[in-house]
Amino acid sequence: MRSRGDTALLRFVRYGQVRRATPHVVVEDSDELVALYAPVGSPCKTAVWDGSPIRGQADRTWRLRDHVWDTYRVLRLMRWGQAHSLELFWEDATGAFACWYVNLQEPLRRSPVGFDTDDLVLDIWVEPDGTWRWKDEDELEEAIRLGRFTAGEAAAIRAEGERVIADWPFPTGSEDWQPDPDWPTPELPSDWDEVY
Ligand code: MG
């Protein structure tokens, strides 16, 4: 297990290739929970096709582009065996809590450089006042049409999101969480692209 303050790489791996890789600071790594923090300014790698972000996510080949995470501070709470990440976003300029985000993804796996999963396209956006909406439903439809998921697989992805909404884990208790000011911005390790 990794220690609080260590760097761990969170990767989306698909068809044996890295699709996204972002270094995080380990907040917790236990038998129940992996909590990872991504500050604004983290260098990452993200998939592009002809220089553009990819919609539908059904492509089998891509190139990776250097990117710097530039939107929110993010704390990702991932429980072993669950097909989602429960995420908290804060405004970087003010530190104000912005929203919750449910990223539907494969259950987490350990890797020598951190943790691997794969993104399952559909997401849920939850406002601080509790209003919520699906994000990228159209992209999930596109992924079915393009053959990445069967209709049954897509229904299972959606059902996971419906379970989260039914359980309603908001607030999570971490809304006032703050990163340790001594943590440096995590860097990409040199072996970020090795798939095991
Ligand atoms: Mg997603």
Side-chain angles (χ1 to χ4, degrees), residues 116-153:
D116 288 351
T117 177
D118 193 14
D119 189 64
L120 297 176
V121 179
L122 188 64
D123 308 291
I124 302 171
W125 186 278
V126 185
E127 298 287 346
D129 68 3
T131 54
W132 65 275
R133 62 182 171 81
W134 296 105
K135 181 172 170 288
D136 297 336
E137 282 180 294
D138 58 332
E139 199 169 347
L140 185 63
E141 286 298 314
E142 182 81 349
I144 299 168
R145 198 180 63 74
L146 295 171
R148 178 168 169 216
F149 301 121
T150 65
E153 287 167 341

Side-chain angles (χ1 to χ4, degrees), residues 8-175:
L9 198 56
L10 181 66
R11 304 190 299 188
F12 294 161
V13 176
R14 190 174 313 160
Y15 311 131
Q17 303 166 73
V18 174
R19 177 111 183 153
R20 185 185 294 180
T22 313
H24 287 67
V25 181
V26 175
V27 177
E28 180 178 337
D29 179 1
S30 69
D31 289 340
E32 295 84 45
L33 179 74
V34 174
L36 302 178
Y37 173 60
V40 165
S42 294
C44 49
K45 299 279 184 180
T46 191
V48 291
W49 177 251
D50 288 344
S52 304
I54 299 166
R55 293 288 294 174
Q57 300 194 23
D59 50 301
R60 289 198 167 244
T61 57
W62 54 83
R63 285 178 294 113
L64 290 166
R65 184 183 66 183
D66 289 311
H67 181 66
V68 175
W69 183 251
D70 61 358
T71 54
Y72 296 100
R73 304 177 190 172
V74 183
L75 178 65
R76 303 182 205 276
L77 307 175
M78 295 169 282
R79 294 191 179 275
W80 292 106
Q82 293 196 342
H84 70 273
S85 169
L86 186 58
E87 309 191 339
L88 296 93
F89 288 10
W90 292 270
E91 305 286 350
D92 190 51
T94 62
F97 179 69
C99 67
W100 296 283
Y101 195 88
V102 180
N103 196 61
L104 296 166
Q105 61 186 41
E106 292 177 351
L108 212 57
R109 308 178 293 274
R110 282 189 192 278
S111 86
V113 289
F115 303 92
D116 288 351
T117 177
D118 193 14
D119 189 64
L120 297 176
V121 179
L122 188 64
D123 308 291
I124 302 171
W125 186 278
V126 185
E127 298 287 346
D129 68 3
T131 54
W132 65 275
R133 62 182 171 81
W134 296 105
K135 181 172 170 288
D136 297 336
E137 282 180 294
D138 58 332
E139 199 169 347
L140 185 63
E141 286 298 314
E142 182 81 349
I144 299 168
R145 198 180 63 74
L146 295 171
R148 178 168 169 216
F149 301 121
T150 65
E153 287 167 341
I157 292 165
R158 190 182 180 93
E160 174 78 3
E162 287 170 347
R163 276 193 293 278
V164 174
I165 292 300
D167 290 346
W168 200 254
F170 315 107
T172 62
S174 294
E175 285 66 29

